[in-house]
Amino acid sequence: ATLDIDAGETVVCTFTNTKRAEVEIVKATVPAGFDRDFAFTTTGTTASDLGTPFTLNAKDDASDSRTRFVRPGDYTVSETVPVGWDLTGVACTGDANSSGATGEAVLHVAAGDTVRCVFTNTKRGQAIVVKTEGGNAPEAGHEWTFTLSGGPLGEQVLTRTTAGDGGGEGVLFDDLKPGVYTLCEVDMPEGWHSSLELVEGAETEVDEETGAIISVCITIDVAANEVEQIAVDNVRPEIAVTKDGPA
């Protein structure tokens, strides 16, 4: 306050301070403590109070959160979700007027508020089928087909077929959300059997006319960041035919 006071004049100066709100943005991952940078942006009239852009990493306490004192107002904090990850939750606590329900941290902070928002990301997994025939590498020219369905896939059915070029073979189902799936070996050649038949709870489809196995399905559980490996061995039992004739 710069004052120019005349004789006999009375001047009153009032200084008003407004307490800032405390905002904490936290990064959590499934699996916990994953070492990866996640990028965030903040929008709002005074977005620079919280910072934009910035990164967080769940690997340790020094890098998994950001706390700033911001001026009262409206802010929106958004995350850029990396490939192979899903944003599975944004939970804001401490202020009834702030929420993560939309997948962003939408903040309406008043003077003196304290808000904490946790962004949780879940890493996707894989399912790998390792294919053999009679315990050995598949014969060149033999192609084997597998499907994956159910769980997070909803109505979608993924289909993969081995290359059929012999040697070490298999199929990969990549970028899977954690969950329980149905894995099937389908379109099996007549006379062949699958080791999946021996899995507890396996469901087998059989040709009513020939009795040949058409498909075998099992349940698999893919966890976050897991590589679920399934060994599938196919065999074609040899049938010996003998002829009894006159002595």
Side-chain angles (χ1 to χ4, degrees), residues 186-230:
V186 301
D187 301 330
M188 290 173 56
E190 186 174 346
W192 286 82
H193 288 267
S194 170
S195 60
L196 296 182
E197 299 169 50
L198 305 176
V199 176
E200 184 177 355
E203 296 184 0
T204 303
E205 181 184 2
V206 178
D207 187 298
E208 293 181 358
E209 295 184 0
T210 65
I213 296 174
I214 300 173
S215 65
V216 185
C217 297
I218 65 169
T219 297
I220 64 171
D221 191 350
V222 178
N225 198 39
E226 179 187 18
V227 178
E228 178 72 11
Q229 186 167 294
I230 308 98

Side-chain angles (χ1 to χ4, degrees), residues 17-18 32 34 63 70 75 78 82 105-106 113 129 133 149 156 173-174 188 209 218 230 233:
N17 293 79
T18 300
F34 199 94
S63 60
V70 304
Y75 301 84
S78 306
V106 180
D113 279 352
V129 175
E133 292 177 8
S149 61
Q156 184 181 14
F173 295 97
D174 198 10
M188 290 173 56
E209 295 184 0
I218 65 169
I230 308 98
D233 187 51

Side-chain angles (χ1 to χ4, degrees), residues 190-193 210 236-242:
E190 186 174 346
W192 286 82
H193 288 267
T210 65
R236 185 173 187 175
E238 295 183 2
I239 301 176
V241 178
T242 60

